[in-house]
Amino acid sequence: MKLGVIGYGGRIKHVIKSIQKEEPACVVQAIADIRPDVVVEGRAEGVAPVPVYRTPEEMLAAEKLDGVLIGTRCSLHTEMALKVLPTGIPLFLEKPVATTMEDARRLKAGYEAGKSRVVVSFPLRATSIVRLVKEIVDSGKIGTVEHVQAVNNVPYGGVYYHYWYRDERETGGLFLQKATHDFDYINYVLGLEPTHVCAMTSKQVFKGSKPAGLKCADCDENRTCPDSTVYGPQKTANWEYCSFAEDTGNEDSGSALIRYASGMHVSYSQNFFARRSAGMRGARFIGYKGTIDFDFYTNEVKVTMHHAPRTETHRFESSQDHFGGDAVLARSFIGLMRGESESVSPLEDGLASALLCLKARESALTGTFQTVEW
């Protein structure tokens, strides 16, 4: 099966490897990228080089493709998707599916008028952990879920201040970067529609008076700064920029309260300066009969019954591909290309998560409750 790629970046390369691991017959047939020197990794000797087109339009017109993957920077996800949707070619779309309300509305309209079926890059909902949590919730074992407490303390949060992600014009803010995953798996488990959201963000750590554009390598404090990416524990070749410069974007913590159609509510909080074993990502789903508690980093799900002296613990084997979710997304996309199955993470859900994130961002900016509607 022939894959076309729009934006051949690091994340989409990983997705392609996951697809090829599931189905070696999938090959990168063509790339659309603004960089003319893009080379496909792992290409066998004697095989013709993959053609690189300057625009998606050129690629789509010249190639017969079985699937298209979009891995551009975030601000271009909507624009590129709108070029593919009318073709009917199955599409793998990275999150966030949109970074502005205008783009979200355009994408919704383009999808409803288009022909392509879509897999959105939401691996968390596809993990064994979340699928077990949903199975338990759907069984009624803990009763109806009446409260959710969710948290994401990101131990690798430096990527949002040292790398290109520091540009809020590209990311749309960190609700769209990280909470979009968490909001999606929460919506998926609950099976309910969010109706209102209020949110707050803070920027207390990653700010400062260092000159704009300063790189860690050029800073006279790069041997003593605990966030140095040249000598410190955050040492990472691609993370070039000073996280304490005056042009460092993005909030460094954020929280949201979300009301659902049933009247219950979810509390969610994310943080980007926690480090090492302080990293945590998971939630508590609480019903009258019991509580489900899980953390992706410990690979455990605990079910505590409220009216019986019993706690069940489920442990999962560790996996590096988004806790096993990437493999499920890969199989789903292969199934779409073959016409054999439906998407495990359709664009309707990608749009719902983006809408909730955009409304949370608006709430944080204006200090108001926001109605979650188009």
Side-chain angles (χ1 to χ4, degrees), residues 66-126:
D66 297 298
V68 174
L69 301 94
I70 294 176
T72 62
R73 289 191 177 186
C74 306
S75 62
L76 291 175
H77 288 172
T78 291
E79 193 65 38
M80 297 301 109
L82 290 173
K83 298 178 187 300
V84 179
L85 292 173
T87 68
I89 302 172
L91 173 63
F92 187 98
L93 179 60
E94 263 304 323
K95 63 80 198 168
V97 299
T99 57
T100 68
M101 198 67 202
E102 179 186 1
D103 274 357
R105 291 193 179 103
R106 291 171 60 218
L107 183 58
K108 182 174 184 293
Y111 177 58
E112 291 169 351
K115 303 174 184 177
S116 296
R117 292 182 297 168
V118 182
V119 173
V120 176
S121 187
F122 278 151
L124 295 189
R125 65 152 55 196

Side-chain angles (χ1 to χ4, degrees), residues 2-16:
K2 299 175 181 178
L3 306 177
V5 184
I6 302 174
Y8 193 61
R11 167 60 184 163
I12 218 65
K13 290 178 185 178
H14 174 80
V15 171
I16 291 167

Side-chain angles (χ1 to χ4, degrees), residues 48-370:
V50 174
V52 178
Y53 296 90
R54 292 289 293 177
T55 69
E57 291 90 341
E58 291 174 353
M59 181 183 76
L60 293 169
E63 303 285 348
K64 185 174 177 57
L65 302 170
D66 297 298
V68 174
L69 301 94
I70 294 176
T72 62
R73 289 191 177 186
C74 306
S75 62
L76 291 175
H77 288 172
T78 291
E79 193 65 38
M80 297 301 109
L82 290 173
K83 298 178 187 300
V84 179
L85 292 173
T87 68
I89 302 172
L91 173 63
F92 187 98
L93 179 60
E94 263 304 323
K95 63 80 198 168
V97 299
T99 57
T100 68
M101 198 67 202
E102 179 186 1
D103 274 357
R105 291 193 179 103
R106 291 171 60 218
L107 183 58
K108 182 174 184 293
Y111 177 58
E112 291 169 351
K115 303 174 184 177
S116 296
R117 292 182 297 168
V118 182
V119 173
V120 176
S121 187
F122 278 151
L124 295 189
R125 65 152 55 196
T127 60
S128 297
I129 288 175
V130 170
R131 283 184 288 166
L132 175 62
V133 171
K134 182 167 178 59
E135 179 184 321
I136 297 169
V137 168
D138 289 348
S139 75
K141 184 172 185 175
I142 66 167
T144 305
V145 176
E146 302 297 357
H147 190 200
V148 179
Q149 300 164 337
V151 65
N152 185 11
N153 292 331
V154 185
Y156 53 89
V159 69
Y160 296 105
Y161 311 97
H162 292 290
Y163 200 32
W164 66 262
Y165 287 104
R166 74 209 302 266
D167 186 347
E168 291 171 319
R169 295 169 298 180
E170 293 289 348
T171 65
L174 297 186
F175 283 127
L176 281 163
Q177 286 301 308
K178 298 306 291 181
T180 188
H181 285 297
D182 304 277
F183 290 169
D184 175 69
Y185 82 68
I186 291 168
N187 289 344
Y188 171 67
V189 170
L190 292 176
L192 298 173
E193 295 288 332
T195 60
H196 298 84
V197 61
C198 66
M200 186 176 295
T201 61
S202 300
K203 189 171 178 64
Q204 297 294 97
V205 175
F206 294 117
K207 57 183 180 179
S209 58
K210 294 287 186 181
L214 178 66
K215 295 184 177 181
C216 277
D218 301 323
C219 179
D220 58 7
E221 297 181 53
N222 60 22
R223 290 184 178 271
T224 58
C225 175
D227 222 61
S228 171
T229 61
V230 179
Y231 297 104
Q234 296 290 317
K235 185 175 181 179
T236 310
N238 292 330
W239 297 8
E240 297 181 285
Y241 293 96
C242 175
S243 59
F244 300 106
E246 58 188 15
D247 62 338
T248 303
N250 293 322
E251 71 273 18
D252 49 38
S253 62
S255 301
L257 291 174
I258 308 163
R259 180 182 293 136
Y260 283 77
S262 70
M264 63 85 69
H265 79 276
V266 170
S267 67
Y268 171 81
S269 190
Q270 60 182 15
N271 172 285
F272 296 88
F273 47 86
R275 293 291 182 267
R276 302 185 187 276
S277 60
M280 178 180 179
R281 192 172 201 174
R284 284 180 173 174
F285 288 80
I286 308 170
Y288 176 65
K289 296 179 182 179
T291 292
I292 306 171
D293 195 344
F294 76 91
D295 185 345
F296 286 111
Y297 288 114
T298 63
N299 287 295
E300 283 191 351
V301 176
K302 291 184 180 180
V303 184
T304 302
M305 303 310 298
H306 292 174
H307 309 296
R310 188 173 81 248
T311 297
E312 302 168 5
T313 301
H314 305 263
R315 292 188 176 90
F316 294 83
E317 292 185 5
S318 180
S319 179
Q320 299 302 311
D321 64 334
H322 277 112
F323 315 104
D326 284 339
V328 179
L329 293 182
R331 290 193 291 271
S332 180
F333 190 57
I334 292 166
L336 275 195
M337 290 191 289
R338 288 174 171 163
E340 295 176 350
S341 60
E342 297 300 318
S343 173
V344 297
S345 55
L347 188 51
E348 292 93 338
D349 294 337
L351 287 163
S353 176
L355 175 63
L356 185 52
C357 290
L358 288 164
K359 292 294 184 176
R361 184 178 68 184
E362 183 66 18
S363 172
L365 289 172
T366 61
T368 61
F369 272 88
Q370 292 287 310

Side-chain angles (χ1 to χ4, degrees), residues 23-41:
E23 177 50 84
C26 292
V27 297
V28 176
Q29 178 71 14
I31 294 172
D33 200 297
I34 58 173
R35 300 164 298 173
D37 56 346
V38 166
V39 177
V40 176
E41 298 173 359

